[in-house]
């Protein structure tokens, strides 16, 4: 759906984006994460055909963003980080205006507007002046506008910025709903925690460079070794810890009584040899469970805490 190759952008002296490469597959919710000034908006504006790259290329649904911007705009909805609403238009008029500017025929427009208002829960505000909406309501209006031409791909630049906790949850629900409808979503944020339970794949940028990208599960698997939860008896717990710590490459620590966690580098199957060592050492293994590493722990390790 999105293919970015060797993308760079230099403003005067500043190299805002350096040789960035990533792919987003259809149906993904891709989190584009990085601290202030990392180059997220710059990359996004290039994808949205609003800014020319200094080098490299980007394709959306196979269309080159520089050579075929019109084709790209048809399949993509872009929500900028800052935008102005026309304050004197009512919500419904505002959406109708954008529907018209996307070339949606008059007879289909009312339905298109109704659909996006329902989706973004704007129905009760349809006669409100755009200029009289709160920040969260405006955010929803902007999202509705972004959806008006039923794009396959949504590119959202920090859509949760400035929203209260409830509105953030609602936004997440809405994005999930859009993903269920088959849309692909690229969403930027400087806060990983906000996206960690939403995204299916991520790209982490820092100072114009992409530190890593790919499906969440792959990244987690690549960057953190297998992790297991072990349950044993109180009598053999200390012994279990001792045995595990004696294995090369194994890290282990106690949890509450009679339980511990351990991790290691390499293939998951290697756990069999550790279980054998435990049994030989007289440890009574009552339970063993594979744990999923979470994205956040992995990222904190990779970015040394700079991305938060
Ligand atoms: N129009 C511009 N002219 C000159 N430099 C710019 C321009 N826009 C951005 N930059 C610079 O490019 C770098 C990347 O900025 P960008 O807005 O892409 O970052 P960002 O990741 O979106 O940050 P934020 O989280 O603050 O939105 C920064 O150093 C910024 O100062
Ligand atoms: Mg930005």
């Amino acid at each position: 759906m999105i293919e970015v190759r060797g993308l760079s952008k230099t403003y005067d002296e500043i190299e805002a984006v350096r040789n960035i490469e990533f792919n987003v597959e259809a149906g993904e919710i891709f989190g584009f994460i990085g601290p202030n000034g990392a180059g997220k908006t710059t990359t996004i504006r290039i994808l949205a055909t609003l800014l020319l790259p200094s080098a490299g290329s980007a394709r959306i649904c196979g269309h080159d963003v520089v050579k075929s911007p019109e084709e790209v705009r048809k399949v993509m909805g872009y929500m900028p980080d800052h935008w102005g609403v026309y304050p004197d238009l009512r919500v419904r008029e505002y959406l109708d205006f954008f529907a018209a500017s996307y070339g949606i025929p008059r007879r289909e427009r009312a339905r298109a507007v109704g659909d996006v208002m329902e989706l973004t829960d704007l129905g009760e505000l349809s006669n409100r002046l755009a200029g009289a909406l709160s920040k969260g309501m405006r955010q929803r209006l902007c999202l509705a506008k972004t959806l008006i031409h039923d794009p396959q791909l949504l590119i959202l630049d920090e859509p949760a910025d400035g929203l209260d906790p409830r509105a953030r949850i609602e936004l997440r629900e809405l994005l999930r709903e859009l993903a269920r409808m088959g849309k692909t979503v690229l969403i930027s944020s400087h806060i990983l925690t906000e996206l960690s339970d939403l995204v299916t794949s991520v790209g982490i940028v820092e100072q114009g460079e992409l530190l890593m990208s790919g499906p969440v599960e792959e990244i987690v698997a690549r960057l953190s070794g297998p992790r297991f939860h072990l349950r044993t008896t109180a009598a053999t717990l200390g012994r279990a810890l001792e045995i595990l710590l004696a294995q090369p490459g194994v890290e282990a620590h106690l949890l509450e009584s009679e339980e511990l966690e351990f991790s290691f580098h390499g293939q998951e199957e290697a756990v069999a040899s550790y279980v054998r060592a435990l049994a030989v050492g007289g440890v009574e293994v009552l339970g063993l469970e594979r744990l999923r590493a979470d994205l956040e722990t992995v990222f904190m390790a990779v970015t040394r805490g700079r991305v938060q």
Side-chain angles (χ1 to χ4, degrees), residues 4 17-23 30-33 38 43 202-214:
V4 176
V17 169
R18 269 179 271 174
N19 198 25
I20 280 189
E21 307 216 340
F22 65 88
N23 285 342
F30 180 82
F32 197 40
I33 299 154
T43 306
V202 284
I204 303 285
V205 273
E206 220 178 61
Q207 294 167 10
E209 289 181 64
L210 194 75
L211 297 184
M212 63 168 126
S213 74

Side-chain angles (χ1 to χ4, degrees), residues 40-42 81 157-158 188:
K40 302 180 298 293
T41 297
T42 301
D81 51 351
D157 198 355
E158 307 226 24
S188 79

Side-chain angles (χ1 to χ4, degrees), residues 20-286:
I20 280 189
E21 307 216 340
F22 65 88
N23 285 342
V24 179
E25 304 299 330
E28 298 264 31
I29 303 183
F30 180 82
F32 197 40
I33 299 154
N36 293 137
K40 302 180 298 293
T41 297
T42 301
T43 306
I44 284 176
R45 286 176 55 84
I46 294 171
L47 295 178
T49 75
L50 299 174
L51 192 66
L52 290 173
S54 309
S57 67
R59 297 170 85 82
I60 287 181
C61 284
H63 307 297
D64 187 288
V65 296
V66 176
K67 294 185 195 126
S68 321
E70 279 86 23
E71 295 304 310
V72 170
R73 284 179 211 158
K74 275 183 212 160
V75 294
M76 176 202 61
Y78 161 61
M79 178 165 163
D81 51 351
H82 295 104
W83 70 96
V85 288
Y86 301 105
D88 298 332
L89 285 184
R90 295 183 189 279
V91 165
R92 183 184 294 280
E93 292 167 342
Y94 180 86
L95 293 172
D96 189 68
F97 170 79
F98 278 98
S101 67
Y102 271 110
I104 300 173
R106 184 179 294 273
R107 65 198 134 71
E108 289 170 28
R109 244 181 269 160
R111 207 189 53 180
V113 169
D115 285 351
V116 294
M117 282 201 306
E118 192 185 327
L119 200 60
T120 53
D121 215 8
L122 281 171
E124 291 188 0
L125 301 174
S126 68
N127 287 318
R128 253 315 163 98
L129 288 175
L133 298 177
S134 76
K135 167 115 189 172
M137 293 167 182
R138 256 190 297 151
Q139 215 91 339
R140 273 191 276 153
L141 178 57
C142 192
L143 192 56
K145 181 208 90 172
T146 306
L147 290 164
I148 195 79
H149 59 303
D150 197 21
Q152 298 172 47
L153 170 68
L154 295 167
I155 297 188
L156 315 173
D157 198 355
E158 307 226 24
D161 194 34
L163 296 185
D164 69 26
R166 188 188 171 81
R168 277 164 198 253
I169 292 168
E170 284 169 1
L171 177 71
R172 269 210 294 262
E173 288 303 311
L174 177 56
L175 294 180
R176 283 208 187 93
E177 173 68 24
L178 291 167
R180 274 196 293 274
M181 288 164 65
K183 313 251 179 244
T184 307
V185 181
L186 180 150
I187 172 173
S188 79
S189 176
H190 53 276
I191 308 168
L192 175 67
T193 32
E194 203 164 84
L195 299 183
S196 59
D197 61 345
L198 175 72
V199 296
T200 56
S201 62
V202 284
I204 303 285
V205 273
E206 220 178 61
Q207 294 167 10
E209 289 181 64
L210 194 75
L211 297 184
M212 63 168 126
S213 74
V216 170
E217 306 223 326
E218 251 174 50
I219 289 182
V220 168
R222 196 167 73 222
L223 296 173
S224 73
R227 210 155 58 95
F228 285 86
H229 181 263
L230 176 77
R231 210 154 51 78
T232 173
T233 58
T236 57
L237 183 67
R239 180 91 192 104
L241 186 65
E242 221 172 274
I243 293 171
L244 287 169
L245 288 174
Q247 311 287 320
V250 174
E251 284 172 36
H253 62 271
L254 293 179
L255 298 171
E256 284 144 39
S257 60
E258 292 155 57
E259 296 184 2
L260 60 74
E261 245 180 58
F262 65 100
S263 59
F264 50 90
H265 292 285
Q267 295 295 314
E268 187 173 337
E269 290 70 36
V271 74
S273 66
Y274 304 135
V275 172
R276 216 174 303 128
L278 290 168
V280 169
V283 172
E284 299 194 59
V285 175
L286 301 178

